[in-house]
Amino acid sequence: MNMVAIAARLDALSIRDFRNLERIELAVPPDGLLLIGENGQGKTNFLEAIYYLQVLRSVRGARDQDLVRFGAPGFHLGAKIASDRASEIGVGFERAGKRKRVRLDGLVSDRLGDAVGTLPVAMFSPSDVELVAGGPATRRRFLDIMLAVTSRGYLRALQRYRAALVRRNAALRDAARQSGARPDARVDVWEEPLAEHGAVLWAERQAWVDTSSARFSDLARTIGGDELVMRYASAVTDQNGGGDRRAALLETLSAQRAMDVRFGLTRAGPHRDDLVIAMRDAAGTARELRVFGSAGQQRTAAIALRLLEAATLQQRRGGPPVILLDDPFAELDVPRTRRIVELLCEGGAGQTILAVPRESDIPRELPRLQRFRISAGALHGE
């Protein structure tokens, strides 16, 4: 079945017992809304609840049980949406049994993966600087989420790769405890699925970087005047140069098997790769931004990545995603803020939800949105 191209939109939102949000029922304006509230009142929690509907997990990496409001048995999120995949989504979590259930258009989904990406969302926040300043796992997560919500094939490969990786690592640890036995039979049975699904991840990540790297450099130059580049770095090399990633992964896993047993983990594969962000100096030498970049350059790179994510969602899903802005301009100067807002709007930004602590933090260039205030987890319209 072909997906119908449509701009993502949140029409109605229901939140129960999520973080400090006890009960919210909101008809969301088509253009979006502006949420004003002091820090600690629930602005980010509100945006997190919306983002949860995209990936069925916290954008901040919290466990589901830690998202439940204190004293409540669980949380529930529901929304009526415009999307190319469904018109209604609901997610419920019970603390007691650690059970999560998802409904799409009123029907319980047997597989949580079927609901991933139902509501395309791109979220910007000051913490995005960790995309550049943090370790490789943060950048791999960025790639995985963006590609998983735009490609069911990538999501399936990611799920199967992770399952095979858990089993191979367990087999490696078992083999290490039984030093007298040959580990090959117990370990190598998981290498074929790792290579098969890992090749899909590697290929799709590499393809995205190849097609997006020039635009990334353009965005960084426009936002902050910085000369930045990005490239995909894999610990696995294609020795034969034929582009057969599956064969390259199989060869590497086999060659490293004995050392992997000693360490008790799989030391090569897409789960160890990185998206390298670098700056070019006057001599043309590339230096990794995570180590050598200033805070301003790192913020520029992070925003460029988020803009690319939004553009990728729009291109692959046929319409702009819902844009969530969690006080993203707090640490930026006025000229840089102005350029970012212009970049957001030039591509036909869709529904936008902006959260700020004060009215003075609202960029003048941003289209006027209906205002709401939040205090102690309660939402009030103006």
Side-chain angles (χ1 to χ4, degrees), residues 352-363:
T352 301
I353 300 176
L354 170 64
V356 293
R358 296 167 298 275
E359 292 191 30
S360 59
D361 296 318
I362 305 168

Side-chain angles (χ1 to χ4, degrees), residues 90-200:
V91 185
F93 174 78
E94 298 175 6
R95 193 203 299 266
K98 295 183 179 180
R99 292 184 57 198
K100 187 182 324 190
R101 180 172 295 181
V102 177
R103 288 181 180 270
L104 291 175
D105 291 333
L107 300 176
V108 175
S109 179
D110 294 330
R111 296 177 299 182
L112 294 179
D114 291 342
V116 170
T118 298
L119 178 67
V121 172
M123 183 169 175
F124 297 69
S125 78
S127 64
D128 285 341
V129 71
E130 283 301 306
L131 283 174
V132 181
T138 307
R139 291 178 288 281
R140 288 193 299 267
R141 185 173 186 268
F142 165 79
L143 290 171
D144 285 340
I145 290 175
M146 175 180 60
L147 296 175
V149 301
T150 57
S151 167
R152 293 190 184 277
Y154 188 93
L155 176 61
R156 285 193 296 270
L158 181 63
Q159 292 170 328
R160 292 168 183 173
Y161 181 86
R162 287 176 173 173
L165 181 63
V166 168
R167 287 167 173 79
R168 186 176 189 266
N169 285 344
L172 289 169
R173 292 190 293 271
D174 287 344
R177 287 192 291 267
Q178 301 174 26
S179 56
R182 294 185 64 221
D184 295 25
R186 294 191 301 276
V187 175
D188 69 5
V189 67
W190 300 112
E191 292 173 4
E192 175 61 41
L194 274 177
E196 176 186 352
H197 304 304
V200 175

Side-chain angles (χ1 to χ4, degrees), residues 205-223:
R205 290 175 183 177
Q206 184 71 66
W208 182 83
V209 173
D210 289 346
T211 58
S212 303
S213 58
R215 180 57 176 162
F216 171 79
S217 297
D218 289 343
L219 287 169
R221 196 176 300 114
T222 300
I223 295 168

Side-chain angles (χ1 to χ4, degrees), residues 235-259:
V236 178
T237 57
D238 182 4
Q239 299 290 346
N240 298 322
D244 189 342
R245 292 181 172 85
R246 176 183 166 278
L249 281 164
L250 269 177
E251 183 178 352
T252 299
L253 290 168
S254 177
Q256 294 192 0
R257 191 180 302 142
M259 288 298 294

